[in-house]
Amino acid sequence: MCYPSIKDYIKGHAERIERELAACLPAEWQVPAVLRESMDYSLMAGGKRMRPIMVIAAAEACNGSADAALPVACAVEMVHTYSLIHDDLPALDNDDYRRGRLTNHKMFGDATAILAGDALLTHAFFAAARTARQHGISADRVLAVIEDLAEYAGPRGMVGGQVADMLGEQGLTKLEELEYIHLHKTSDLIVFSLKAGGRIGGATERQLQALETFGTNIGLAFQIQDDILDVVGDASKLGKAVRSDEKMQKVTYPYFIGLDASRQKVKELTEQGKEAIVRAEIPDPERLLQLADYLMQRDH
Amino acid sequence: MCYPSIKDYIKGHAERIERELAACLPAEWQVPAVLRESMDYSLMAGGKRMRPIMVIAAAEACNGSADAALPVACAVEMVHTYSLIHDDLPALDNDDYRRGRLTNHKMFGDATAILAGDALLTHAFFAAARTARQHGISADRVLAVIEDLAEYAGPRGMVGGQVADMLGEQGLTKLEELEYIHLHKTSDLIVFSLKAGGRIGGATERQLQALETFGTNIGLAFQIQDDILDVVGDASKLGKAVRSDEKMQKVTYPYFIGLDASRQKVKELTEQGKEAIVRAEIPDPERLLQLADYLMQRDH
């Protein structure tokens, strides 16, 4: 498929991902109706689908196919979605709205929301294990992707970041600790997405290393941009309340270094990430580079 | 290692499993201290370790080694432990004690308990993916184990059973629905354990099928025995309050068919399970058969 601009590329792939996600839980499976409904509710709630698009873009950059990358793309979106459901719970961030709709627990109750999150996390590994094999990718390669997913999403990865975020309060957290939170809570799943795409496409170790550096940098830039938008963004575009970090006394980059220096940091990180990709001679890097610029300029 | 009786066999392997579990989160990993502590608290809280022992017993029955089975044995215990942590939460069963100690959320708070559960579930896949490979088992075989784990623990498996259990109340649930709950909430992880052991040992399709039948039957028997012990058991042996099902208005086998018929059902299921193993000519079935009898006779 030929997409003239990065916006078309994102839109086109997001639509494919939506279709695949809608079918990810086989219709013939006997699953309690409320569980299926609750999983679908959050999985199909829109969202930018940035992580699955990164899986596909990285696969294509390394001469792999979008088809082969699609199952793992769905897996990472399931992991991202479960993390949002659990993060929104009253025991954690206690959010009533997400992407302009009621959060999962407001719709289905806390118990079902907890279990729907658990089910999505578990099913992500099913999707990755089963369907990636259907595209003729070797078991060794799929296993490396699964190992990465468990590492980047687990206790030393995303969940570690969530715990650190929960513990962090304004006045108590240093800038280095904030970086730990952002790197794990946000960058880790982005790094996973890029490396998984690379592995599916057959990237060399050097290229995987470059994808990791790229992901770490644009992941951190992505989260700082989120922090900035929470201060200066438009609630209707964002689909959620602004200035929530201030209200929740959350530490952020703007809190520590101000808005201008935060914007500068987003630019620098993006450039550093792009350089890593260029230096590693990834076969077809254009979409990845465009994606990095697109993320830096987004307003939602 | 030679163990004279099934009790010695269980004790010996439980000790090996304990040592392996204690080391399952690499010491050099940078994980927030409270997360590590909370994961360890529940993982190292004792328990019968029946599921990991089943992985090992099934592997040995199919001429595999306990060493090769140990990582997957730990993985299934992590999944079991996460399910208990989430199940005990105020939004679900709201239990204060488990195995004679405070439940995870009573010790660490709801937020940490939710995230510790998430971390254990995720890390189970890491343990299964990474360490099984270290014992020279083919990537294809490890991948089949991971696919099974995600299926038996996921929305059509254990989590589906949890949701159905949460919805079930006395007077509203039929015996067939209770069977669905027991089969998924309890049997599925037991079936996984036996099949995973079989796969590691190199079982044929026919033998895997027999292990599945065995697991379904003794899993259901295991849960009915739990229901019986909740009525007639000794709280000090069980390490938890008795008659909680009645208080929580939970449906159980004794509730539907009475204690005597429930005991008879446990016996029948155990015999049917054992027959399947014998018929499939599993190379060395003795420990599996003994394990089934041991579970039927247990008082805690």
Side-chain angles (χ1 to χ4, degrees):
Chain A
M1 198 87 74
C2 174
Y3 299 109
S5 74
I6 184 69
K7 276 198 175 175
D8 297 318
Y9 181 86
I10 291 171
K11 191 163 172 285
H13 281 308
E15 283 166 7
R16 293 189 65 187
I17 291 158
E18 300 275 338
R19 283 195 298 276
E20 187 84 4
L21 284 173
C24 74
L25 208 58
E28 69 275 16
W29 274 20
Q30 204 190 352
V31 173
V34 66
L35 177 59
R36 194 182 274 273
E37 210 184 320
S38 164
M39 290 168 75
D40 277 347
Y41 177 80
S42 291
L43 202 53
M44 304 313 293
K48 294 183 281 289
R49 313 297 190 195
M50 284 320 307
R51 290 159 192 80
I53 287 168
M54 284 178 194
V55 179
I56 292 173
E60 290 188 330
C62 299
N63 289 337
S65 80
D67 276 351
L70 211 47
V72 174
C74 289
V76 75
E77 190 68 3
M78 287 182 220
V79 171
H80 175 57
T81 302
Y82 115 77
S83 80
L84 299 180
I85 295 175
H86 283 188
D87 204 30
D88 287 337
L89 286 166
L92 286 114
D93 278 0
N94 195 22
D95 276 319
D96 291 353
Y97 289 92
R98 160 83 60 188
R99 295 168 183 163
R101 314 162 77 202
L102 285 174
T103 43
N104 196 294
H105 67 275
K106 294 300 283 185
M107 279 295 288
F108 298 93
D110 294 3
T112 301
I114 291 168
L115 293 169
D118 294 345
L120 282 167
L121 170 56
T122 314
H123 197 58
F125 287 95
F126 184 84
R130 172 160 242 177
T131 44
R133 280 200 295 158
Q134 294 170 344
H135 294 277
I137 298 168
S138 75
D140 272 320
R141 218 176 262 183
V142 176
L143 207 51
V145 169
I146 286 172
E147 199 175 307
D148 275 353
L149 180 56
E151 184 169 346
Y152 285 105
R156 89 182 303 186
M158 188 183 69
V159 177
Q162 291 269 39
V163 171
D165 187 34
M166 187 185 76
L167 299 172
E169 286 169 55
Q170 283 181 16
L172 287 176
T173 306
K174 296 189 203 120
L175 186 58
E176 306 89 79
E177 288 163 0
L178 179 65
E179 198 171 284
Y180 175 92
I181 294 170
H182 282 2
L183 281 176
H184 292 291
K185 192 173 167 171
T186 307
S187 289
D188 273 350
L189 218 50
I190 289 174
V191 170
F192 164 75
S193 302
L194 293 160
K195 279 179 78 176
R199 285 190 195 279
I200 290 164
T204 62
E205 272 308 312
R206 184 177 166 226
Q207 289 165 349
L208 288 175
Q209 187 57 54
L211 288 166
E212 183 167 338
T213 306
F214 178 67
T216 306
N217 281 280
I218 68 162
L220 191 52
F222 184 87
Q223 183 58 52
I224 298 173
Q225 183 69 3
D226 248 21
D227 290 352
I228 294 171
L229 290 172
D230 190 74
V231 182
V232 303
D234 180 332
S236 66
K237 280 186 185 162
L238 291 165
K240 63 179 178 184
V242 291
R243 297 202 165 266
S244 69
D245 292 334
E246 200 181 314
K247 270 176 232 146
M248 297 283 288
Q249 298 211 300
K250 287 233 163 176
V251 286
T252 65
Y253 267 78
Y255 169 82
F256 277 118
I257 62 174
L259 272 175
D260 285 347
S262 296
R263 286 190 179 110
Q264 187 56 33
K265 183 91 184 159
V266 169
K267 267 188 204 156
E268 282 168 20
L269 287 165
T270 303
E271 288 311 316
Q272 284 162 15
K274 286 163 67 181
E275 272 166 35
I277 291 290
V278 172
R279 270 202 306 271
E281 295 167 8
I282 283 176
D284 191 5
E286 206 46 47
R287 292 301 189 193
L288 288 178
L289 302 177
Q290 290 172 356
L291 209 48
D293 286 333
Y294 171 84
L295 288 176
M296 184 175 65
Q297 287 150 15
R298 76 200 162 91
D299 61 2
H300 67 284
Chain B
M1 197 87 74
C2 173
Y3 298 109
S5 74
I6 185 67
K7 276 200 175 173
D8 296 318
Y9 181 86
I10 292 171
K11 190 164 174 283
H13 281 307
E15 283 167 7
R16 292 189 65 186
I17 292 159
E18 300 274 338
R19 284 196 299 275
E20 188 85 3
L21 285 173
C24 75
L25 208 59
E28 69 275 16
W29 274 20
Q30 206 191 349
V31 172
V34 66
L35 178 59
R36 194 182 272 272
E37 209 185 321
S38 164
M39 291 168 75
D40 277 348
Y41 177 80
S42 292
L43 202 53
M44 304 312 294
K48 293 183 281 290
R49 312 299 189 195
M50 283 322 305
R51 292 158 191 81
I53 287 169
M54 284 178 194
V55 179
I56 293 172
E60 290 189 329
C62 299
N63 289 337
S65 80
D67 275 351
L70 211 47
V72 174
C74 289
V76 76
E77 190 68 3
M78 287 181 221
V79 171
H80 175 57
T81 303
Y82 114 79
S83 79
L84 299 180
I85 295 175
H86 282 189
D87 203 31
D88 286 338
L89 286 166
L92 286 115
D93 278 0
N94 194 23
D95 276 319
D96 291 353
Y97 289 92
R98 160 81 62 187
R99 294 168 183 162
R101 311 162 79 201
L102 285 173
T103 45
N104 196 294
H105 67 274
K106 294 299 281 184
M107 279 295 287
F108 298 95
D110 294 4
T112 301
I114 292 167
L115 293 169
D118 294 345
L120 282 167
L121 170 56
T122 315
H123 197 57
F125 287 95
F126 183 84
R130 174 158 242 178
T131 45
R133 280 200 296 158
Q134 295 170 342
H135 294 277
I137 298 168
S138 74
D140 273 319
R141 216 176 264 183
V142 177
L143 207 51
V145 169
I146 286 172
E147 199 175 306
D148 275 353
L149 180 56
E151 184 169 346
Y152 284 106
R156 90 183 302 189
M158 188 183 69
V159 178
Q162 292 269 36
V163 171
D165 186 34
M166 188 185 76
L167 300 171
E169 285 169 54
Q170 285 182 16
L172 287 175
T173 305
K174 295 186 203 126
L175 185 58
E176 306 88 79
E177 289 163 359
L178 179 64
E179 197 170 284
Y180 175 93
I181 294 171
H182 281 4
L183 279 176
H184 292 290
K185 193 173 166 170
T186 307
S187 288
D188 273 350
L189 217 50
I190 288 174
V191 170
F192 164 76
S193 301
L194 293 160
K195 279 178 78 176
R199 284 191 197 279
I200 290 164
T204 62
E205 273 308 313
R206 183 177 167 226
Q207 289 166 348
L208 288 175
Q209 187 57 53
L211 287 167
E212 184 168 337
T213 306
F214 177 67
T216 305
N217 282 281
I218 67 162
L220 191 51
F222 185 87
Q223 184 57 53
I224 298 173
Q225 184 69 5
D226 249 20
D227 291 352
I228 294 170
L229 290 173
D230 190 74
V231 182
V232 303
D234 178 334
S236 68
K237 279 186 188 164
L238 291 164
K240 63 179 179 186
V242 292
R243 297 202 164 267
S244 68
D245 292 333
E246 200 182 314
K247 270 176 232 146
M248 297 283 288
Q249 298 211 300
K250 288 233 161 175
V251 287
T252 64
Y253 267 77
Y255 169 82
F256 276 120
I257 61 174
L259 273 176
D260 284 348
S262 296
R263 286 191 181 110
Q264 187 57 33
K265 184 93 182 157
V266 170
K267 267 189 202 156
E268 281 169 21
L269 287 165
T270 303
E271 287 312 315
Q272 283 162 16
K274 286 163 68 181
E275 273 167 33
I277 291 290
V278 172
R279 270 201 307 271
E281 294 166 10
I282 284 177
D284 190 5
E286 204 47 47
R287 291 302 189 193
L288 289 177
L289 302 177
Q290 290 172 356
L291 209 47
D293 286 332
Y294 171 84
L295 288 175
M296 183 175 67
Q297 288 152 13
R298 76 198 161 94
D299 61 3
H300 66 285

